[in-house]
Amino acid sequence: MTLGPNVIVFDPSMSTAQIQATVDAVADQQMLNQFGTQRYALLFKPGTYGSVAQPLNFQVGFYTEVAGLGLNPDDVTINGSIDVYNQGDGSGALDNFWRSLANLHLAVTGPGGNHSTNGCYANTEFWAVSQASPVRRVDITGHTTFMDYCTGPNYASGGFVADSSFGSDTPVNGSQQQFYVRNSAMGGWSNGVWNQVFSGDLGAPAQSFGTKKADGSNADPYTTLATTPVSKEKPYLYLDADGHYRVFVPSAQTNSRGTTWQSGQTPGRSLPLSSFFVAQPGDSTSKINSALARGKNLLLTPGVYHTDRAIDVKRADTVVLGLGLATIEPDAGNIGMTTADVPGIDVAGLIFDAGVKKSSALLQVGDQRHHRDGHGSLHTSRSANPTALQDVFFRVGGAHVGRVETGLVVNADHTILDDIWSWRADHAQNASDVGWTVNTADNGVVINGDDVTATGLFAEHYQKYNVLWNGQRGETIFFQNELPYDAPNQALWSHQGEPGYPAYKVADSVRSHVAYGLGSYIYTNVNPSLHSANGFEVPDTPGVVMHDILTISLNQAGTIDHVINGVGAAVTPTYQGPSNITFYSNGTSN
């Protein structure tokens, strides 16, 4: 079965030189292709690639997925490095988005390809990225850095690692402003800038957010949870012993710690590729929906899928998996994808890109009419079989004009949001494709369902709420936000008599909500005098508890008056911050 021309499959019988030439050609095309339409998946069959004498060192550009095709990470070994370096345009790694590394063993060795003129890149895995560039299910032996310390500036802003092992190595976190590591293993962690969150990790640093060292200096801003309360790893493509493609769907876990694969086979179910409709760019929405209605799962091969109606996922336990960051773009003001209010759906590895005609949402999970029995127990049976979104990203503007009311709407109870970036673009291929009245979008993420858990939630630049949480018993572990850059005046960016909007709003009707490790930053470069009254707003009730939250003012533009609910020092053009609150509940803070 063909997976399309942009899925490139490597076999260990191929020479290192042949593989090197192929991956370098893709990298050369994609390295600066931030807003292009090309998408690639580079997949490695089980076996060993490269050697100490002839390592395989290559870079990963935009819209490129690199993954092994083994059932377990150690079924594929690459001797070399799979790198992301600074852009070279003065932005450092701040714009290194939309790429991924997964399901392989990386034995780090070699000179670092074409970028080792001074030897700095030798024998080191560089993954200098910001949002939407996850590392999942990877076994790295050797040294890893999440910043490019060889060339300046060393900016980096937001990484995500899950179900991975760094062995005894202590990765260099470096200039990463914020970072989230979940259910992984490491020898330690090097440092932190503003917000570093760990849950369910072996070898994670101790909790230290907002504390002082013995010498009186600030401790690293670490938020550490011993376990992850609920998680569901991303489905992945693999080859079975007979050389047939299958998709493995990991089971949900509760109160988990460590990787799913180091102590035995990852729990879950395996699906033959014959149970999937393998879509190609150009397939109509009607054709895709017809396959889904017949009971098929959906595999979207690399490319951009233009839709004139919602892709409609109705069946419980359906898997929707994108390869090579496949992208769904609504053309007719439609929602990009909807799911029924049923359990066990997985939607993974996709970008939703807003179209020129305004949509009400890009992805809607669960029915608009949300049922409860008054006690929140109507759907408790779903807790063992939650719906999950893994590595799902939303973009409004940037590649072209885009308009939407809300990026992601979650109506379904017991939904897991695992590595979500909802981004209203602050820059574009053409400057005319972004602006306050151009790429319009009210809200980044709106959560109406109960018992929704977010593990790695990024939402930026929306014109009203970046996150609005209406459901009961929600939980967030790690949140990163920048408020909109481009509001022209305070009158247009105000609500209910207050300046600005909070980045993260828990609705007044909510009685139970908990969050750990949340940051909101302001940079109003169009009008540096703008204020937001609070970075966070929550109801003052004992069941709503916020841990380790902060605000920052960037580049001498914009003010956040308080961290949360009128509490916490202001961050201003003359005081960047951070302003930290380690605990807030029911009007009490510290």
Side-chain angles (χ1 to χ4, degrees):
M1 177 180 290
T2 179
L3 297 176
N6 285 7
V7 176
I8 302 173
V9 179
F10 300 103
D11 187 285
S13 66
M14 300 170 65
S15 71
T16 300
Q18 182 183 0
I19 297 170
Q20 188 77 62
T22 302
V23 295
D24 285 350
V26 173
D28 288 345
Q29 177 181 290
Q30 297 301 103
M31 202 64 59
L32 299 178
N33 194 16
Q34 184 172 172
F35 295 112
T37 58
Q38 295 82 3
R39 307 284 187 271
Y40 289 92
L42 308 180
L43 307 181
F44 291 80
K45 291 183 179 182
T48 299
Y49 299 83
S51 64
V52 173
Q54 190 179 10
L56 180 61
N57 303 105
F58 65 97
Q59 294 187 67
V60 182
F62 287 99
Y63 312 113
T64 305
E65 172 187 4
V66 179
L69 287 171
L71 181 58
N72 296 299
D74 292 336
D75 293 341
V76 175
T77 293
I78 294 179
N79 291 290
S81 60
I82 303 172
D83 298 315
V84 183
Y85 300 126
N86 284 346
Q87 287 262 357
D89 61 358
S91 66
L94 291 178
D95 295 342
N96 283 351
F97 313 138
W98 305 310
R99 63 201 79 194
S100 67
L101 177 63
N103 198 37
L104 52 78
H105 171 216
L106 184 59
V108 180
T109 187
N114 298 327
H115 290 72
S116 189
T117 55
N118 60 0
C120 180
Y121 294 94
N123 300 315
T124 301
E125 165 63 13
F126 280 75
W127 192 257
V129 299
S130 291
Q131 294 84 353
S133 300
V135 173
R136 287 186 181 268
R137 202 175 166 81
V138 174
D139 184 10
I140 300 180
T141 53
H143 186 48
T144 299
T145 176
F146 292 106
M147 63 171 275
D148 182 349
Y149 51 73
C150 296
T151 60
N154 296 326
Y155 309 133
S157 178
F160 176 92
V161 173
D163 202 22
S164 294
S165 173
F166 300 95
S168 61
D169 183 53
T170 297
V172 173
N173 180 61
S175 56
Q176 284 283 351
Q177 296 168 351
Q178 60 281 315
F179 210 96
Y180 178 46
V181 185
R182 178 180 64 68
N183 290 89
S184 294
M186 65 202 80
W189 202 251
S190 66
N191 68 296
V193 179
W194 296 324
N195 186 30
Q196 313 286 310
V197 181
F198 307 84
S199 70
D201 297 308
L202 303 175
Q207 170 76 27
S208 58
F209 184 95
T211 64
K212 298 287 188 180
K213 297 179 182 177
D215 62 4
S217 62
N218 291 329
D220 288 318
Y222 296 152
T223 297
T224 302
L225 285 71
T227 62
T228 301
V230 61
S231 59
K232 192 177 185 184
E233 301 300 339
K234 180 183 176 182
Y236 59 93
L237 189 69
Y238 76 101
L239 286 169
D240 66 16
D242 296 321
H244 298 136
Y245 284 112
R246 300 182 70 92
V247 172
F248 193 85
V249 186
S251 301
Q253 301 185 100
T254 57
N255 299 317
S256 58
R257 181 173 170 84
T259 68
T260 64
W261 49 269
Q262 287 182 295
S263 298
Q265 174 59 44
T266 299
R269 58 194 172 106
S270 178
L271 304 174
L273 197 59
S274 59
S275 69
F276 285 76
F277 175 69
V278 179
Q280 306 285 344
D283 285 341
S284 69
T285 312
S286 295
K287 185 176 182 180
I288 293 172
N289 280 341
S290 177
L292 288 166
R294 295 195 308 270
K296 291 287 190 179
N297 299 295
L298 178 60
L299 184 74
L300 294 158
T301 61
V304 178
Y305 293 76
H306 291 272
T307 63
D308 57 2
R309 67 198 73 180
I311 296 173
D312 199 3
V313 182
K314 297 180 179 180
R315 179 178 57 86
D317 299 318
T318 299
V319 176
V320 179
L321 178 61
L323 296 180
L325 292 99
T327 301
I328 295 171
E329 184 177 327
D331 289 338
N334 53 289
I335 298 175
M337 180 181 289
T338 60
T339 78
D341 201 8
V342 296
I345 292 172
D346 277 282
V347 179
L350 295 173
I351 298 173
F352 288 86
D353 199 358
V356 175
K357 293 185 178 179
K358 185 178 181 179
S359 300
S360 60
L362 295 177
L363 171 59
Q364 179 182 293
V365 180
D367 299 332
Q368 288 180 324
R369 189 164 60 94
H370 185 65
H371 300 277
R372 295 189 183 90
D373 64 359
H375 302 285
S377 61
L378 186 61
H379 299 310
T380 52
S381 62
R382 294 184 181 178
S383 61
N385 188 24
T387 283
L389 312 183
Q390 301 107 339
D391 300 343
V392 178
F393 311 127
F394 304 84
R395 182 171 68 191
V396 185
H400 47 71
V401 173
R403 299 182 176 95
V404 70
E405 182 178 335
T406 300
L408 169 63
V409 177
V410 180
N411 295 320
D413 296 341
H414 295 289
T415 299
I416 298 171
L417 309 178
D418 189 49
D419 188 27
I420 304 297
W421 185 37
S422 191
W423 184 62
R424 175 177 168 262
D426 58 272
H427 63 277
Q429 181 114 340
N430 301 303
S432 59
D433 288 342
V434 293
W436 190 255
T437 61
V438 180
N439 60 322
T440 58
D442 286 350
N443 308 304
V445 179
V446 174
I447 298 171
N448 300 315
D450 294 337
D451 302 289
V452 173
T453 300
T455 49
L457 181 58
F458 305 75
E460 299 190 282
H461 311 309
Y462 284 88
Q463 293 171 295
K464 292 184 179 179
Y465 296 111
N466 281 269
V467 171
L468 175 58
W469 207 299
N470 297 313
Q472 302 291 339
R473 296 179 301 281
E475 184 164 4
T476 294
I477 301 173
F478 181 90
F479 170 71
Q480 183 266 334
N481 163 261
E482 283 185 351
L483 295 168
Y485 288 4
D486 55 347
N489 57 64
Q490 198 72 72
L492 287 176
W493 192 50
S494 295
H495 80 293
Q496 299 176 353
E498 290 190 343
Y501 281 80
Y504 189 102
K505 168 71 174 180
V506 179
D508 296 343
S509 59
V510 171
R511 291 294 171 261
S512 178
H513 186 92
V514 63
Y516 301 86
L518 296 87
S520 177
Y521 318 146
I522 192 168
Y523 173 51
T524 52
N525 62 343
V526 170
N527 186 341
S529 70
L530 295 184
H531 287 239
S532 184
N534 291 287
F536 303 87
E537 287 183 5
V538 302
D540 279 331
T541 186
V544 176
V545 184
M546 309 291 284
H547 301 269
D548 298 358
I549 53 180
L550 70 139
T551 54
I552 295 281
S553 178
L554 298 171
N555 302 324
Q556 300 182 333
T559 296
I560 302 176
D561 297 326
H562 302 285
V563 178
I564 183 168
N565 288 21
V567 174
V571 291
T572 73
T574 57
Y575 174 68
Q576 175 176 277
S579 184
N580 293 331
I581 297 289
T582 59
F583 174 86
Y584 184 91
S585 181
N586 202 26
T588 299
S589 66
N590 56 38

